[in-house]
Amino acid sequence: MQFSEQWLRSWVNPALNTEQLSELLTMAGLEVEETIAAAPAFSGVVIGEVKECVKHENADRLRVTKVDVGTGELVQIVCGAPNVAVGVRVPCALPGAILPGDFKIKPTKMRGVESNGMLCSGKELGVPEDVDGLMLLPADAPVGQSIRDYLGLDDQLFTLKITPNRADGLSIRGVAREVAALTGAELQPVAIEPVAPSIDDTRPVKIEAREACGRYLGRVVKGVNAAAATPAWMRQRLERSGLRSISAIVDITNYVLLEQGQPMHAFDLAKIDGGITVRQARAGESLLCLNEKTVELQDKHLVIADDAKVLALGGIMGGELSGVTTASADIFLESAFFAPKAIAGRARELGFGSDSSFRYERGVDFQLQREAIERATRLVLDICGGAAGPVVEEVAELPRRQAVQLRVARVAKVLGVALSSQEIAEILGRLGLEFSLADEVFTVQAPSFRFDIEIEEDLIEEVARVYGYNRIPDDAPRSSMRMLRQPEELRPVDQLRHLLAARDYQEVVSYAFVDERWERDFAGNDKAIRLQNPIASQMSVMRSTLIGGLVDVLVGNINRKQPRVRVFEAARVFLRSEQGFEQPEKVAGLAWGPRLPEQWGAKAERVDFFDVKADVEALLHPAAAEYRKASHPAFHPGRCAEVRVDGETVGVIGELHPQWVQAYDLPSAPVLFELNLAIVTARSRIKAQPVSKFQPVRRDLALLVDEQVSAAALLAAFQAKRADIVTEIALFDVYRGKGVAEGKKSLAFSVLMQDNSRTLTDEDVEPAMQALLQAALELGAQLRV
């Protein structure tokens, strides 16, 4: 909302300058977004009256004038404006004046004739003016007075950023009430006296939509001069509030809107057939609005209608065919209260809004309508003349305000400031809140203009605002601090992040709300946990896997021409369970593109399954993982494995399924992994043991096995039969080719043996190797010779 500081100060004038007033309003919750000057800086311009005006002897378009500027002597000024004439009063810049743009006025000669000043247009003063030529002032403008004082140009325009709960601040009356409460300055509202009817003409009013329209008032005013000029003071206040002057009747309704906060509308009485009905729209009805847009109405739209047609969209905009024009002689003024829920969203659905809908959807004082129509009536009679009939009113369902209790002790606990009941009572009184006090508990009745006061915390906020947020001490909390115990069996998640970052991964953070398609594609989940109120249509379900988010990041990077992507995320996923829902944490990674960044030291090779497998093993270390062929909706059916630790499946690793590579338009398949974070962060307690002083013994086992026998199966069999002296068993060679039958492969294992107390002999080594060989033979292996 934008308004003039001078207008506000006509209601309440605290002993604060512009900057202090701006700070006060901002700290109280009515944020001042900006303050700008009503006119640019200039000096030396006074009101002058043209006493003589003759044609310049050497120029057809110039006039030589003699101007009275209040000094007792006439000043000769050459002027080229087309509207200069004897008797007009205009702004006159005297020698020494400085106009906007640092333009200095000094005596000069124009085509041989001396000119001692300049007669000014509104444009030259930086003041909006539609007149082509000089700014013409009223005939009673005092000659010699500074034009800045006369036009009130030393004014500041405030722009407030009003939050949706403070609709009471959308008027001069509301802001003035707030300033008076905050400063204790005297509030001097405009006196509104009822206008006694001088004619008996009325139009019947009926409310059918009783929940949507709580109150409707109407008044007939006959014999108005709708073509009358809007007074300069009203036009100035409207313009400084961001509204252009249209016509006297429309300007009056807009003025009451800004001054009182009550939206109003005026109909041409001759265009109304019968009475006024407030109802929901009917099928097939339409309305040509004042903005020249035709609206096809639905039953959810609230309308103002007569006996034959729709006149206006209730609370949003009037109709073009029933609007007041300069030819209107009789008008019908309306003032109504519409429930916020009946207006909210309707204007946005239609693609346009209005100052009225902006206020109605936030909440208008439901007791203000009669004062507003009396105020508008008085302005119409004073400016446009005419005779007013009686006010016709119908009341339906108005809001009910429940009393709210405020405990003195609760105020102290929440604010950290011990305010006495007397101090709180003074603050509530300044805010215009009716209350009673008993046993240190206030029972407060919120006024009709405060829709935002419903619970105790709302009242505490009011007390804090008026008391002053800057007066509340910002004492730092004091408490004893100690380092939390870090269990040795639990590895910090940050350590995992650092490990992955060291392996050239970058962390991403994505939304837990995902596209339902991702859940079907990457998790085979047709029953995802659905959000009741998603923030976007493509974020309608909760994720049960992190894979979709990583693939989405990959797509974004490929679209931006990134040649190599390695990303990971550690976050929660959301699963259904018998108990309801589970929220386990997982860590997932994706690698795509070359194995190494582009360089001269290594040839370009695409990252593969085994590169990412090495990253997974680094994450799980010191635990030894086992990999088994698996099937997963997201992964290639022949290039996917489940990750097992101590016989428990802890995750999955594999290459993205070709179907999804094509569906998501990827140049090639990335390799991904996803692990349960609880398993990754768990680790066994460290056990210290002495380093053997004796030389280790190494033996190698070369075995021929069927292709379907995995190295992991052999390692598991060795672990079951290993002797105490066996310290390490590792696969170091896989061979297929000459000397090995088709359907077979050769696996070579190194076996290290060592004892802490003595040097091993063949009598120690051979039984241990025979046990391992026997374990291999049981799996169908043959010793390769």
Side-chain angles (χ1 to χ4, degrees):
M1 174 187 170
Q2 180 177 302
F3 63 88
S4 157
E5 182 182 1
Q6 290 181 355
W7 190 7
L8 175 65
R9 289 187 182 273
S10 69
W11 279 68
V12 59
N13 191 15
L16 302 173
N17 60 31
T18 300
E19 184 177 349
Q20 292 169 332
L21 180 59
S22 173
E23 175 70 13
L24 177 76
L25 289 171
T26 299
M27 290 303 297
L30 301 182
E31 181 184 350
V32 178
E33 202 165 27
E34 67 173 349
T35 57
I36 58 174
F42 63 84
S43 61
V45 182
V46 299
I47 298 173
E49 181 181 0
V50 178
K51 293 295 187 179
E52 298 180 16
C53 181
V54 298
K55 182 178 178 297
H56 193 293
E57 58 185 10
N58 298 322
D60 292 338
R61 296 186 178 182
L62 297 181
R63 299 287 186 274
V64 180
T65 66
K66 296 291 181 68
V67 182
D68 179 7
V69 294
T71 61
E73 298 181 0
L74 298 182
V75 178
Q76 179 171 292
I77 298 175
V78 177
C79 177
N83 60 344
V84 63
V86 173
V88 298
R89 297 193 179 191
V90 295
C92 179
L94 300 175
I98 301 176
L99 299 186
D102 199 30
F103 182 65
K104 299 178 181 179
I105 302 299
K106 54 187 177 182
T108 187
K109 285 189 176 182
M110 299 183 69
R111 296 289 183 93
V113 176
E114 185 176 348
S115 179
N116 295 306
M118 175 180 172
L119 302 183
C120 302
S121 66
K123 182 178 180 180
E124 289 162 337
L125 299 180
V127 180
E129 183 70 23
D130 295 334
V131 176
D132 181 19
L134 301 177
M135 175 187 281
L136 301 180
L137 302 174
D140 59 353
V143 173
Q145 184 179 3
S146 167
I147 194 67
R148 295 194 70 92
D149 294 339
Y150 179 73
L151 295 180
L153 299 182
D154 294 321
D155 192 8
Q156 294 289 322
L157 307 184
F158 281 59
T159 300
L160 298 187
K161 188 177 181 180
I162 302 293
T163 54
N165 65 319
R166 290 303 309 274
D168 61 294
L170 291 171
S171 65
I172 290 294
R173 178 177 184 167
V175 177
R177 187 167 48 213
E178 187 77 3
V179 172
L182 295 170
T183 63
E186 182 183 358
L187 182 65
Q188 298 176 322
V190 173
I192 301 177
E193 298 292 337
V195 175
S198 56
I199 58 176
D200 296 330
D201 297 67
T202 62
R203 285 295 170 98
V205 169
K206 181 172 64 173
I207 300 176
E208 290 183 0
R210 303 186 70 80
E211 292 184 359
C213 179
R215 187 193 302 272
Y216 191 94
L217 294 86
R219 185 173 220 166
V220 171
V221 183
K222 285 194 163 186
V224 299
N225 176 16
T230 302
W233 60 267
M234 180 180 287
R235 189 169 61 250
Q236 181 190 85
R237 288 178 173 178
L238 290 173
E239 289 170 351
R240 292 184 184 180
S241 298
L243 297 181
R244 63 183 180 90
S245 176
I246 298 174
S247 66
I249 299 296
V250 176
D251 289 350
I252 288 169
T253 58
N254 285 337
Y255 184 82
V256 174
L257 167 76
L258 294 172
E259 180 189 75
Q260 301 294 326
Q262 172 62 50
M264 295 195 65
H265 188 66
F267 298 102
D268 188 325
L269 188 65
K271 300 173 183 177
I272 298 177
D273 298 317
I276 299 293
T277 303
V278 185
R279 58 172 173 82
Q280 301 300 138
R282 296 166 184 159
E285 290 184 321
S286 63
L287 176 69
L288 175 62
C289 297
L290 288 171
N291 59 4
E292 299 182 353
K293 290 186 177 181
T294 300
V295 176
E296 299 300 326
L297 300 173
Q298 303 175 30
D299 57 4
K300 64 182 177 181
H301 293 131
L302 184 68
V303 299
I304 313 300
D306 60 18
D307 294 346
K309 60 188 177 299
V310 174
L311 302 174
L313 270 170
I316 298 178
M317 188 172 290
E320 177 71 24
L321 300 181
S322 62
V324 172
T325 67
T326 54
S328 299
D330 305 323
I331 64 172
F332 181 82
L333 289 174
E334 82 162 12
S335 179
F337 169 76
F338 299 115
K341 65 180 181 181
I343 308 300
R346 302 292 189 270
R348 286 187 292 275
E349 290 176 358
L350 296 171
F352 59 85
S354 64
D355 289 328
S356 296
S357 65
F358 186 80
R359 286 162 173 79
Y360 274 128
E361 64 186 6
R362 285 160 174 78
V364 170
D365 181 355
F366 55 84
Q367 299 291 352
L368 182 61
Q369 289 71 46
R370 182 168 285 275
E371 287 188 20
I373 202 168
E374 296 289 2
R375 173 68 168 152
T377 303
R378 174 49 58 198
L379 289 171
V380 169
L381 297 180
D382 290 346
I383 297 170
C384 303
V391 175
V392 178
E393 177 180 11
E394 176 151 346
V395 178
E397 298 181 17
L398 293 174
R400 295 182 176 87
R401 311 307 308 276
Q402 300 296 326
V404 181
Q405 290 193 331
L406 175 65
R407 295 164 289 175
V408 175
R410 182 64 177 167
V411 173
K413 185 174 182 179
V414 173
L415 299 185
V417 178
L419 297 178
S420 67
S421 57
Q422 182 177 355
E423 290 175 298
I424 295 175
E426 181 184 351
I427 291 173
L428 296 177
R430 285 160 59 181
L431 288 168
L433 306 179
E434 297 180 1
F435 63 86
S436 60
L437 175 63
D439 298 327
E440 295 294 283
V441 176
F442 289 88
T443 301
V444 181
Q445 185 66 49
S448 56
F449 57 83
R450 290 303 298 270
F451 279 73
D452 58 317
I453 297 178
E454 296 180 341
I455 58 177
E456 185 177 28
E457 284 71 15
D458 295 332
L459 290 172
I460 295 174
E461 181 184 8
E462 292 302 297
V463 171
R465 288 192 317 105
V466 178
Y467 179 76
Y469 290 123
N470 54 347
R471 295 176 60 190
I472 298 175
D474 54 350
D475 296 334
R478 299 177 182 178
S479 63
S480 59
M481 300 181 66
R482 60 185 178 85
M483 294 292 291
L484 294 175
R485 178 177 174 271
Q486 180 66 51
E488 189 176 351
E489 298 84 359
L490 186 64
R491 182 163 38 170
V493 177
D494 280 346
Q495 192 176 103
L496 301 178
R497 291 189 171 103
H498 293 157
L499 187 150
L500 285 168
R503 299 184 74 86
D504 213 14
Y505 285 82
Q506 297 185 55
E507 185 175 12
V508 298
V509 179
S510 59
Y511 278 104
F513 316 139
V514 299
D515 193 329
E516 190 173 5
R517 176 190 174 191
W518 295 1
E519 283 296 295
R520 290 194 301 267
D521 293 352
F522 303 124
N525 185 5
D526 292 325
K527 296 182 179 180
I529 301 172
R530 188 172 299 279
L531 296 168
Q532 291 185 351
N533 186 24
I535 60 177
S537 60
Q538 72 276 16
M539 303 171 76
S540 59
V541 300
M542 302 295 288
R543 65 185 174 196
S544 65
T545 176
L546 302 178
I547 293 174
L550 295 180
V551 172
D552 186 56
V553 170
L554 173 61
V555 170
N557 277 273
I558 291 174
N559 290 341
R560 288 159 180 79
K561 308 302 180 184
Q562 290 296 323
R564 183 173 181 267
V565 178
R566 294 171 76 91
V567 291
F568 78 94
E569 181 171 15
R572 292 190 182 277
V573 297
F574 304 86
L575 310 172
R576 295 186 185 274
S577 68
E578 294 180 359
Q579 292 75 29
F581 302 101
E582 293 180 357
Q583 303 178 41
E585 291 182 290
K586 292 195 176 186
V587 58
L590 176 148
W592 175 85
R595 177 179 289 119
L596 297 172
E598 186 177 4
Q599 56 174 288
W600 60 268
K603 65 178 182 179
E605 293 180 331
R606 203 175 81 184
V607 67
D608 60 20
F609 177 94
F610 297 101
D611 295 315
V612 177
K613 178 172 174 282
D615 297 329
V616 171
E617 290 184 342
L619 270 178
L620 293 172
H621 182 78
E626 178 186 355
Y627 300 88
R628 291 185 180 178
K629 182 179 179 181
S631 175
H632 190 283
F635 295 118
H636 191 297
R639 300 175 186 174
C640 172
E642 64 179 15
V643 184
R644 296 173 63 85
V645 175
D646 297 330
E648 180 184 353
T649 301
V650 300
V652 64
I653 178 174
E655 192 176 285
L656 191 66
H657 198 293
Q659 179 181 357
W660 310 136
V661 173
Q662 182 179 10
Y664 289 86
D665 198 22
L666 302 176
S668 58
V671 183
L672 301 102
F673 69 86
E674 185 174 51
L675 305 172
N676 292 335
L677 192 61
I679 301 298
V680 179
T681 55
R683 60 185 175 186
S684 58
R685 186 181 293 272
I686 297 174
K687 296 179 180 179
Q689 61 184 33
V691 178
S692 178
K693 300 177 181 179
F694 301 96
Q695 186 174 358
V697 177
R698 171 173 171 159
R699 293 284 188 273
D700 293 343
L701 273 177
L703 303 172
L704 286 173
V705 297
D706 293 336
E707 278 287 359
Q708 62 266 28
V709 178
S710 67
L714 284 170
L715 286 171
F718 290 157
Q719 291 294 336
K721 295 292 183 68
R722 66 186 292 176
D724 292 340
I725 62 173
V726 178
T727 59
E728 182 181 334
I729 304 173
L731 175 71
F732 70 87
D733 183 56
V734 180
Y735 175 73
R736 298 176 181 86
K738 186 177 180 180
V740 176
E742 189 174 348
K744 299 282 188 177
K745 61 185 175 183
S746 172
L747 303 177
F749 297 88
S750 65
V751 181
L752 292 181
M753 292 169 280
Q754 194 175 28
D755 193 277
N756 291 331
S757 60
R758 61 190 176 87
T759 301
L760 298 177
T761 64
D762 287 344
E763 288 77 9
D764 300 316
V765 172
E766 288 304 324
M769 291 300 297
Q770 287 298 322
L772 296 179
L773 180 58
Q774 182 61 36
L777 295 175
E778 291 175 1
L779 288 179
Q782 299 175 5
L783 187 63
R784 184 181 176 193
V785 294

